[in-house]
Amino acid sequence: MTGKTHASCGVLVGALTTQYFHTDLFSSVTIIIIATIASLLPDICHTQSKIGRRFKVISFFIRLFIGHRTFTHSILFIILIASLLHLIYTPIYYMAAVIAGLASHIILDMLTPKGVKLLYPLPFDIKSPITFKTGGLLDLSLATALTIGAVYVLFQTYIDDIMNYWNIRLF
């Protein structure tokens, strides 16, 4: 998946997290930003990724020692990050945003032909039975659909009011 697809999914899971926890405006904005960054974080192992270009030296060494789509794309990585957040007493809604962002990235990468090493350090590549090429039309379509979903979740009340005013039924 491209960085745009991962970021749009991060915005969506962040928006869903704000809805679940009924957070205030400041916390909601923070949650969406955190989820978006977390949705890009597993690609720190790739020097040409959106996050890898921002942290070139760290990205280079992670790729050199660990490789691409291995540790940072595993359940072990999510558990490690969740444990660190728990140790520093991170509020549950921020922790949920980080975990959901990381998980969204891994799930999306499982939709690619290469898959991910979800059970790292075990050497198995795990991928979805249905896969599609990174950067292709389906990838762009997915990014668009995720963005539309995020906008709907964020502005659901207003959209529903407009629909009710015009007597339009979506479902």
Side-chain angles (χ1 to χ4, degrees):
M1 294 297 134
T2 63
K4 290 176 187 166
T5 305
H6 288 302
S8 62
C9 194
V11 172
L12 176 59
V13 298
L16 291 168
T17 303
T18 65
Q19 295 299 307
Y20 181 80
F21 287 103
H22 305 289
T23 54
D24 59 46
L25 180 61
F26 175 78
S27 295
S28 295
V29 170
T30 306
I31 286 168
I32 292 168
I33 291 168
I34 287 171
T36 304
I37 292 169
S39 72
L40 297 170
L41 183 61
D43 274 344
I44 191 74
C45 62
H46 186 356
T47 54
Q48 295 305 310
S49 67
K50 285 196 181 298
I51 199 157
R53 288 191 306 256
R54 301 264 189 274
F55 301 97
K56 282 192 181 289
V57 174
I58 295 170
S59 179
F60 173 77
F61 283 108
I62 290 174
R63 178 150 184 144
L64 182 67
F65 292 112
I66 298 172
H68 182 51
R69 288 193 181 180
T70 57
F71 174 68
T72 61
H73 286 70
S74 70
I75 293 172
L76 184 60
F77 182 67
I78 294 175
I79 291 170
L80 175 69
I81 297 294
S83 299
L84 291 172
L85 293 173
H86 180 71
L87 282 174
I88 61 171
Y89 301 104
T90 304
I92 189 70
Y93 43 85
Y94 293 143
M95 189 183 299
V98 171
I99 293 169
L102 293 170
S104 74
H105 182 103
I106 294 168
I107 291 167
L108 286 174
D109 277 357
M110 288 171 63
L111 295 172
T112 64
K114 186 173 189 264
V116 299
K117 298 218 182 314
L118 186 65
L119 303 174
Y120 183 85
L122 298 176
F124 309 114
D125 285 328
I126 297 179
K127 59 184 173 183
S128 168
I130 300 170
T131 62
F132 51 94
K133 189 178 104 175
T134 299
L137 183 60
L138 285 174
D139 190 358
L140 177 62
S141 299
L142 182 58
T144 303
L146 292 168
T147 302
I148 291 169
V151 168
Y152 178 74
V153 169
L154 288 170
F155 299 103
Q156 181 178 2
T157 306
Y158 306 110
I159 293 170
D160 289 347
D161 288 346
I162 291 168
M163 296 298 207
N164 286 333
Y165 178 79
W166 292 100
N167 255 346
I168 299 172
R169 303 262 186 250
L170 288 180
F171 302 103

